[in-house]
Amino acid sequence: MHPTRKRRMIGLLVILIGVGLASAVTIYSLRQNMLFFVSPSDIGEQDLPMGREFRLGGLVEPGSVRRAANGLAVRFTVTDGVAAVTVDYDGILPDLFREGQGVIARGQLQTRELFVAREVLAKHDENYMPPEVAEALEEKGMHNKSGQGADG
Amino acid sequence: MNPIMKFIHLMGSPPWFYQFSGRLIPWLWGLFVVLAACGLYLGLVKAPPDYLQGESARIMYIHVPSAWMSMMIYALMAVMGFVGLVWHVRIAEILAISSAPIGALFTAVALASGSLWGRPTWGTYWVWDARLTSELVLLFLYLGVIGLYSAFDEPRKAARAASLLALVGLVNLPIIHYSVTWWNTLHQGSSIGASGSSIHPSMLWPLLIMALATKFYYAANLLSRARIRLIEQDQRKNWVRELLQEGTA
Amino acid sequence: MSHTPFILAAYGVATLLLLWGALAPVLRARKLKSEIRARLERTGD
């Protein structure tokens, strides 16, 4: 290769590697701050302060949803299979809110076990299938509805 | 000279590139229209609704191909920019800079359709999670490349500056792709990867056909845009004069 | 919540943007060619 072209190519590759390394280091050092939500076990481990807003993510524990007799208030348990937190929410739930499905709740801890949410979003997984197929899988007990989870 | 090298050399000749692309473009548009019609029919009419998301999952057939294109076009733009920077091939510079507006369009489509998909499923139009944020950064990178190019008067200097920015921004592509694995995000993980697909075949086919259709859209649109830049830059050269005085094309 | 408005809006936005992206170079080419032709006729250059 022509020496000038070789020099230009090496120069560009050095820039690319430099930018790549710089970004990798930045991303690595920011990895905790870039988490969109924390899991119920993180709450136990990390001693998150009361009264500070954050997002809690996990699965709605099947059978845990209790709705108020009147109004929109709802209480349910969010679990990641290891730890669980009770969530209180007074508002409109997304369409995809189901028992066994993923949710991300934004709010704050009232006590160590009670999280009061201001907003609840539904998180779904990467599986797409027709309703009949989902039913058939359900019957065979193969369709693992908790197949997504806090770690996506 | 082997046929591939011969073809590359021919592509470097502006009149030849202009003629060749002019003949190719109608076919590329034709393929796009046929494939998009098939994909839309299969996706919007024939495909079943999703077991969980219902009808809203049909947004997938435009959202996912656009998001793929937004990243693929960026990668190609950077590669062509690299060729332009190292070998000073003018046609590569033109193809790189002509890719930017098309990539920006696909990024905008991916962001808008994703937002309209998020509302009925997640319950929100927008969140600042790693996937959504890095895709927005991609849009700004495209706009930066376009802006930097237009800030120079001399097109070849402009192309080199813009290509350099495109190359530096390449680092965002793995961030977009792996954002859903590296961090907790509201956006779900990838449905299609090395280990196969978690999309039922009845929904996967329309998706793949739409993905192929968008590639032809890009090819046709890229060549149209590149031809304009070529005659604009060469407007005082003989081949453009002859071309326009003949009254053809 | 009905999903139809969201689907229509998503495909509507996509169609408009992609249509604009496809037509813009055609219009630009037409304008540029007539400009160059006009200059060639005027100056022969």
Side-chain angles (χ1 to χ4, degrees):
Chain A
M1 197 191 283
H2 195 280
T4 335
R5 287 171 194 163
K6 197 169 178 179
R7 203 193 59 227
R8 286 200 290 253
M9 189 189 251
I10 292 169
L12 284 176
L13 291 177
V14 167
I15 293 177
L16 282 183
I17 293 167
V19 172
L21 281 176
S23 322
V25 170
T26 314
I27 290 165
Y28 186 75
S29 62
L30 284 176
R31 69 199 184 286
Q32 277 306 321
N33 297 323
M34 282 187 63
L35 294 182
F36 188 64
F37 58 86
V38 298
S39 65
S41 359
D42 291 338
I43 292 183
E45 285 164 19
Q46 288 181 359
D47 249 2
L48 287 159
M50 309 273 160
R52 203 199 67 168
E53 198 168 80
F54 65 96
R55 288 188 178 87
L56 168 72
L59 299 173
V60 181
E61 192 154 56
S64 74
V65 181
R66 303 270 178 278
R67 285 167 205 275
N70 47 8
L72 293 165
V74 60
R75 167 172 285 196
F76 53 90
T77 309
V78 169
T79 173
D80 59 2
V82 181
V85 177
T86 304
V87 175
D88 268 357
Y89 177 60
D90 193 357
I92 297 163
L93 288 165
D95 281 11
L96 254 57
F97 181 89
R98 315 264 157 94
E99 294 187 349
Q101 275 293 328
V103 283
I104 294 177
R106 183 162 58 94
Q108 39 188 267
L109 282 171
Q110 200 135 76
T111 68
R112 281 262 79 112
E113 283 83 32
L114 180 67
F115 183 88
V116 179
R118 289 209 297 130
E119 177 193 57
V120 173
L121 301 178
K123 180 170 161 61
H124 62 81
D125 61 14
E126 61 273 23
N127 298 306
Y128 297 88
M129 63 188 103
E132 311 86 70
V133 176
E135 267 168 42
L137 284 176
E138 195 92 32
E139 271 165 32
K140 282 189 233 155
M142 275 169 65
H143 181 209
N144 176 17
K145 270 202 161 182
S146 56
Q148 57 113 11
D151 44 30
Chain B
M1 207 190 297
N2 74 48
I4 297 169
M5 283 312 283
K6 197 175 171 190
F7 181 75
I8 291 173
H9 270 90
L10 277 172
M11 290 295 273
S13 144
W16 197 86
F17 177 88
Y18 192 88
Q19 294 291 341
F20 176 77
S21 58
R23 253 174 279 153
L24 204 57
I25 287 170
W27 293 98
L28 295 171
W29 280 127
L31 280 165
F32 163 70
V33 170
V34 170
L35 285 167
C38 289
L40 286 175
Y41 172 72
L42 289 175
L44 296 178
V45 182
K46 292 293 270 188
D50 181 58
Y51 78 102
L52 180 67
Q53 304 183 32
E55 301 290 339
S56 71
R58 296 189 194 280
I59 296 176
M60 168 166 74
Y61 308 118
I62 186 69
H63 172 75
V64 175
S66 305
W68 284 342
M69 287 312 283
S70 72
M71 294 169 72
M72 191 195 90
I73 294 175
Y74 197 93
L76 288 174
M77 177 173 80
V79 168
M80 291 179 292
F82 184 82
V83 172
L85 280 168
V86 174
W87 287 276
H88 289 193
V89 183
R90 186 161 68 112
I91 205 75
E93 293 168 3
I94 288 178
L95 288 172
I97 192 62
S98 302
S99 292
I102 315 172
L105 273 179
F106 275 114
T107 314
V109 170
L111 287 168
S113 58
S115 172
L116 288 161
W117 192 4
R119 183 67 190 84
T121 51
W122 300 336
T124 181
Y125 286 108
W126 184 263
V127 289
W128 294 100
D129 83 345
R131 172 54 77 80
L132 279 66
T133 309
S134 55
E135 183 74 10
L136 185 65
V137 168
L138 186 69
L139 180 64
F140 293 149
L141 278 170
Y142 275 124
L143 297 179
V145 168
I146 297 169
L148 191 59
Y149 180 81
S150 53
F152 286 79
D153 289 330
E154 214 274 294
R156 303 212 55 182
K157 272 197 192 118
R160 275 171 223 160
S163 300
L164 195 60
L165 175 61
L167 275 170
V168 169
L170 209 50
V171 72
N172 192 34
L173 290 190
I175 298 181
I176 298 175
H177 183 77
Y178 291 107
S179 55
V180 290
T181 3
W182 288 346
W183 300 291
N184 292 336
T185 50
L186 179 58
H187 196 286
Q188 72 283 4
S190 304
S191 294
I192 298 174
S195 55
S197 145
S198 59
I199 303 176
H200 191 266
S202 59
M203 303 156 100
L204 183 61
W205 276 109
L207 177 63
L208 294 180
I209 293 172
M210 286 299 281
L212 192 61
T214 51
K215 303 220 169 9
F216 285 106
Y217 176 95
Y218 168 61
N221 203 343
L222 174 66
L223 292 180
S224 316
R225 286 169 190 269
R227 292 172 100 224
I228 296 175
R229 292 212 187 278
L230 209 53
I231 50 172
E232 192 173 21
Q233 288 180 16
D234 283 1
Q235 50 183 287
R236 289 174 200 280
K237 297 229 173 99
N238 272 328
W239 73 270
V240 174
R241 196 177 303 167
E242 279 157 22
L243 183 89
L244 292 180
Q245 276 169 347
E246 277 166 25
T248 53
Chain C
M1 192 190 316
S2 166
H3 293 169
T4 319
F6 293 97
I7 300 171
L8 290 179
Y11 281 89
V13 170
T15 310
L16 283 180
L17 283 175
L18 294 182
L19 208 59
W20 178 60
L23 287 179
V26 177
L27 300 175
R28 175 87 187 97
R30 207 172 283 172
K31 189 161 166 269
L32 182 68
K33 280 180 192 165
S34 68
E35 276 170 13
I36 298 174
R37 278 209 188 92
R39 203 199 62 223
L40 285 175
E41 275 167 28
R42 207 172 50 237
T43 62
D45 168 40

